Amino acid sequence: MTELSLFPLSGVLLPFGRMPLKIFEQRYLDLVRESMKADTPFGVVWIRHGGEVGQRGRAAPELGDYGTCARIVDWDQLSNGLLGITIEGAQRFELHKTHTRSNGLVVGQVDLQQPTAATPLSEEWLSLLDVLRSLETHPHVQRMNLRVDYNDAWQVGYTLLQLLPLEECLKYELLGIDNIEGLMSELHLLLNQISGED
């Protein structure tokens, strides 16, 4: 078991995926400072129910059973004065229990999963790579400075899943898939549904 500071979000972070965040709460400013100073990851976990911002008198949000370690790969002060960071997903983790520090930061007891082993991209998955490459031409995606190994099916699958405009609950479900064949099959089905094919 490992203790990991958590950043609950209404969005799902995938391994190899990148996500921009605006940081304004003191507990998360502290988390970012500690993470950057010690070069350590923190955990991003999906909020099933409840809000991201804790308020007195409101119940704590209900968190998912698993999440993704995150590292800060870029940061900047935004025009509105807030701190903007870009995080990148790393290995997955299983969340067992949580407690809340005095400053409101949620800390979890987690089991870190082994990082995915690079898996060759088979010919049947090349259409997914084509979709990813087309998405990478979008200016918003280009600003993320993605670094994808197109020969690794896990990187192609997770990065594509991060970028697709899907419900977060669906992204969370697919994050829980442990085998690449299952992940790529689900992505094929989803893309067929989006494009209107049977």
Side-chain angles (χ1 to χ4, degrees):
M1 288 276 224
T2 301
E3 186 171 276
L4 196 63
S5 296
L6 300 180
F7 200 127
L9 283 176
S10 57
V12 175
L13 178 67
L14 283 299
F16 308 108
R18 290 192 172 187
M19 180 185 290
L21 297 176
K22 295 178 183 179
I23 310 298
F24 55 91
E25 287 190 76
Q26 188 59 50
R27 55 181 165 171
Y28 296 128
L29 289 168
D30 293 342
L31 180 152
V32 167
R33 186 181 306 110
E34 291 171 13
S35 179
M36 293 178 70
K37 184 177 179 181
D39 192 26
T40 54
F42 55 90
V44 171
V45 62
W46 181 56
I47 299 174
R48 294 178 189 269
H49 301 289
E52 291 180 6
V53 180
Q55 294 180 352
R56 292 182 185 276
R58 291 183 63 182
E62 179 188 336
L63 304 179
D65 299 321
Y66 47 86
T68 306
C69 292
R71 289 191 174 276
I72 299 167
V73 294
D74 196 13
W75 64 275
D76 196 10
Q77 184 171 2
L78 304 177
S79 57
N80 56 11
L82 299 180
L83 174 65
I85 64 172
T86 300
I87 57 174
E88 183 175 273
Q91 69 208 86
R92 299 177 304 158
F93 61 82
E94 298 285 337
L95 178 61
H96 293 282
K97 59 182 180 178
T98 63
H99 69 273
T100 305
R101 293 181 179 165
S102 59
N103 66 350
L105 184 70
V106 179
V107 178
Q109 294 294 323
V110 307
D111 274 332
L112 298 175
Q113 305 297 302
Q114 289 295 321
T116 55
T119 302
L121 191 72
S122 68
E123 191 170 336
E124 64 186 303
W125 299 331
L126 289 178
S127 61
L128 297 175
L129 176 57
D130 292 339
V131 175
L132 174 59
R133 283 185 158 152
S134 68
L135 289 174
E136 287 180 323
T137 63
H138 192 283
H140 173 70
V141 177
Q142 289 178 341
R143 286 193 293 272
M144 294 183 186
N145 294 316
L146 296 174
R147 292 177 176 82
V148 183
D149 179 355
Y150 298 122
N151 297 310
D152 181 4
W154 281 110
Q155 289 199 37
V156 171
Y158 276 140
T159 306
L160 180 58
L161 179 56
Q162 188 76 71
L163 295 175
L164 287 172
L166 302 171
E167 295 287 337
E168 296 301 326
C169 59
L170 189 52
K171 291 187 180 186
Y172 173 75
E173 286 180 21
L174 269 58
L175 174 62
I177 295 177
D178 291 323
N179 63 87
I180 189 61
E181 292 81 9
L183 177 66
M184 297 306 241
S185 295
E186 289 295 330
L187 281 170
H188 261 300
L189 289 172
L190 288 167
L191 286 171
N192 286 342
Q193 291 172 5
I194 291 171
S195 63
E197 296 179 14
D198 292 329

